Amino acid sequence: MIILKRLAYTYREVLNSIAFYPSLLSTAALLLAVASISIENLAVIKQVKEHLSFVLVEDPNNARTILSVLIGSIISLAVFSFSMVMIVLNTASSNLSPRMLPGIITKNSHQLVLGVYLGSIIYSTIVLINVDKIDIELYGSKVPSLGVFCALILGLMSLIFFVFFIHSISKEIQVDHVLNTLFKNTMEALEDLIEQQQECNNPSDEQLQGWHEIKSVVEGYYKGIKINKLKKILEKESLAIYVSVKQGYFTVKGHPFLRCNRSLKGNPDLEKQILDCFIFYIEEFISDHYSYGLKQISEIAVKAMSPGINDPGTAVKAIDMMSILLIKRMSLAEVDCILLDQDSEPLLFLHEVKFEELLHDNFSPIRHYAKSDALVMLNVLEALKNILFVARENDKMSQQIFSYLDGVIYDLNRNIHNPYDRGLLREMLLSIVHINNSHENDILHKFK
């Protein structure tokens, strides 16, 4: 099992590496070069070459010159492109959020561009090596002219991909593009989860409290599940599992992070098989859980408020996006049912991150670092007002919002003293009170 875990970890590391697709494309280019040289003497290829004679190179010296220029030029493009990737990664880490790096590194378009560069270099090098080495009686020429022509096409493709790469990589460090992408991906993850919840009846957390606990045997951040493998086990054994911690939770050995509808104490092998279906790693991808998208948006807002960047406009935009996402989150139940058997019976339940936790985890860092900025704090109050307006019929969520609002008011009283700013903040608080008059005296008394 240890070997399998290491293999699974290595597989994920390779898949998320910036060199994954470049390695595949380089191997494909090597095979293509060998194949193109091997088919030069086929009758069909010779007929094709006759029709393309006006673009084919027959002189060995010209072929060497062209291929040498191509190889040198593409190497320069590759070096520049790799340097740009490093600059973008450094900029994203320092100005946006370090948690964004896995998403940038694993972006397929960037890997595809680098792969085309490396593939073109390898292909052109193999063709260059074979100039003057092939049999003139068999091939009709000492130059693999079709290979040189394909090398020219790959060189042209490299230039096109270079222009695309510059355009794409320049967008990656534009904060508006980054925020819009994060918002879109997080919203899609939320919508998929809401649609998924509608397929089965989701029980409350209290209904699952009596299930039997399964304790963790490893330390690490719980990030995912091997769904297909777990489904086979649960269907075979007629079991149902509840993951009682939120995704991203750091577990230690012995922590009861799973519950089962029947006890497995007499079957340690089955318990181990179930535990092996859960994945622990450090990276945070929005595709794993929408809360990672919210966290990244929040961290961008915090970075924007740092003295070195000082960009309250970005913080305001991030806060508005988070308010929309939190409003969307209200449609989720406390427990997710994400896996059904053939008879549509639920097999796997997940603990959904509580609304109160999301509110605290994503707004508190902004509140802490921007507590002296009246513009940002006014926007925080406006975001809470919008969330409260949607949640006004939900007493539990409304109470959670007002509880959090007490913390915001405490910071406002201690850090913002300008009468004009406090007047604007007071007007915003009054608009919040009008949504739910039950807290009117309490809020106005606290904001003196």
Side-chain angles (χ1 to χ4, degrees):
M1 287 298 178
I2 295 176
I3 296 176
L4 290 176
K5 286 183 179 180
R6 288 180 178 175
L7 288 174
Y9 177 78
T10 303
Y11 170 76
R12 180 171 285 275
E13 287 292 304
V14 170
L15 200 64
N16 293 332
S17 170
I18 195 172
F20 178 63
Y21 282 105
S23 300
L24 293 179
L25 291 173
S26 299
T27 304
L30 176 61
L31 297 175
L32 179 63
V34 174
S36 65
I37 293 172
S38 301
I39 65 174
E40 286 269 352
N41 67 328
L42 294 180
V44 176
I45 300 301
K46 289 181 178 180
Q47 292 179 3
V48 172
K49 289 168 66 174
E50 290 177 1
H51 293 290
L52 295 175
S53 58
F54 64 97
V55 292
L56 296 180
V57 179
E58 300 294 343
D59 183 70
N61 292 328
N62 289 342
R64 289 193 194 94
T65 302
I66 292 172
L67 292 172
S68 299
V69 170
L70 279 175
I71 293 170
S73 301
I74 298 173
I75 288 175
S76 299
L77 292 181
V79 170
F80 179 78
S81 300
F82 273 106
S83 300
M84 285 292 294
V85 170
M86 295 302 107
I87 292 171
V88 166
L89 293 179
N90 181 62
T91 304
S93 178
S94 59
N95 293 351
L96 299 174
S97 170
R99 300 180 195 277
M100 293 182 56
L101 299 188
I104 295 176
I105 291 174
T106 57
K107 191 168 183 179
N108 293 343
S109 60
H110 296 166
Q111 295 187 38
L112 179 63
V113 171
L114 299 179
V116 170
Y117 291 162
L118 295 179
S120 300
I121 293 170
I122 291 172
Y123 183 91
S124 300
T125 302
I126 298 297
V127 175
L128 178 61
I129 292 172
N130 285 273
V131 173
D132 265 347
K133 284 188 177 182
I134 60 177
D135 190 345
I136 189 170
E137 294 182 359
L138 184 63
Y139 290 88
S141 171
K142 288 186 177 183
V143 177
S145 53
L146 183 63
V148 176
F149 177 68
C150 292
L152 286 169
I153 293 176
L154 287 175
L156 180 60
M157 287 178 58
S158 297
L159 289 175
I160 295 172
F161 273 91
F162 176 71
V163 174
F164 165 77
F165 181 81
I166 294 299
H167 171 72
S168 175
I169 208 74
S170 62
K171 288 173 61 178
E172 292 298 326
I173 55 177
Q174 295 177 15
V175 68
D176 284 343
H177 171 76
V178 172
L179 281 175
N180 291 335
T181 301
L182 286 172
F183 176 78
K184 177 184 176 183
N185 294 339
T186 307
M187 181 62 76
E188 288 176 354
L190 269 168
E191 290 174 347
D192 290 343
L193 191 55
I194 292 171
E195 183 179 351
Q196 188 174 270
Q197 282 194 353
Q198 293 174 348
E199 295 179 0
C200 64
N201 295 322
N202 298 286
S204 64
D205 185 63
E206 290 76 13
Q207 292 176 290
L208 303 172
Q209 290 293 336
W211 285 21
H212 302 276
E213 294 178 345
I214 300 177
K215 298 180 179 179
S216 175
V217 293
V218 296
E219 300 96 354
Y221 293 95
Y222 155 61
K223 290 298 180 66
I225 306 170
K226 301 172 186 175
I227 292 291
N228 294 331
K229 182 179 177 182
L230 182 61
K231 184 176 181 180
K232 291 178 181 178
I233 296 173
L234 297 180
E235 286 183 334
K236 180 181 177 182
E237 303 293 335
S238 300
L239 294 174
I241 293 291
Y242 171 50
V243 184
S244 58
V245 299
K246 64 181 180 180
Q247 203 155 2
Y249 182 85
F250 184 79
T251 62
V252 295
K253 286 184 179 179
H255 186 276
F257 86 110
L258 297 179
R259 294 179 195 158
C260 184
N261 60 345
R262 79 166 190 258
S263 177
L264 300 180
K265 289 184 178 180
N267 197 342
D269 291 337
L270 177 58
E271 184 175 323
K272 190 173 186 304
Q273 289 178 27
I274 292 174
L275 289 172
D276 286 340
C277 294
F278 291 85
I279 304 169
F280 295 84
Y281 58 92
I282 295 176
E283 292 87 354
E284 296 184 347
F285 300 100
I286 298 175
S287 57
D288 292 336
H289 199 266
Y290 68 86
S291 62
Y292 301 145
L294 275 166
K295 185 184 294 185
Q296 290 178 20
I297 293 174
S298 175
E299 289 180 350
I300 289 174
V302 171
K303 284 278 189 178
M305 292 307 301
S306 63
I309 299 176
N310 195 24
D311 182 14
T314 295
V316 167
K317 182 174 182 178
I319 292 169
D320 291 337
M321 287 181 171
M322 286 195 297
S323 66
I324 297 173
L325 292 170
L326 286 173
I327 289 172
K328 192 70 175 180
R329 157 61 184 84
M330 293 179 185
S331 303
L332 290 177
E334 293 181 355
V335 177
D336 298 332
C337 169
I338 68 164
L339 203 57
L340 301 173
D341 63 11
Q342 296 178 349
D343 299 324
S344 298
E345 290 296 324
L347 298 175
L348 179 63
F349 300 96
L350 299 181
H351 169 77
E352 187 54 59
V353 184
K354 295 182 180 178
F355 176 81
E356 186 178 17
E357 293 176 356
L358 290 172
L359 190 65
H360 174 270
D361 293 347
N362 295 292
F363 274 93
S364 291
I366 300 173
R367 197 190 78 218
H368 175 74
Y369 288 100
K371 56 190 175 184
S372 300
D373 191 307
L375 173 65
V376 177
M377 294 306 294
L378 186 67
N379 192 252
V380 169
L381 291 178
E382 185 175 15
L384 293 176
K385 182 191 76 171
N386 294 334
I387 297 171
L388 181 64
F389 178 80
V390 179
R392 63 188 183 278
E393 303 297 333
N394 189 318
D395 293 336
K396 182 179 180 181
M397 285 188 178
S398 296
Q399 185 57 47
Q400 291 171 355
I401 295 169
F402 276 107
S403 296
Y404 189 78
L405 187 60
D406 289 342
V408 176
I409 293 174
Y410 179 83
D411 287 339
L412 295 178
N413 287 330
R414 290 176 61 88
N415 296 281
I416 298 180
H417 306 289
N418 185 288
Y420 177 78
D421 291 337
R422 291 185 65 83
L424 295 177
L425 293 169
R426 186 178 181 84
E427 290 180 6
M428 184 61 68
L429 287 171
L430 285 173
S431 64
I432 292 175
V433 167
H434 291 158
I435 297 174
N436 191 326
N437 294 323
S438 60
H439 292 76
E440 179 175 3
N441 294 330
D442 188 35
I443 288 178
L444 296 181
H445 175 73
K446 291 176 180 176
F447 188 76
K448 298 179 181 178

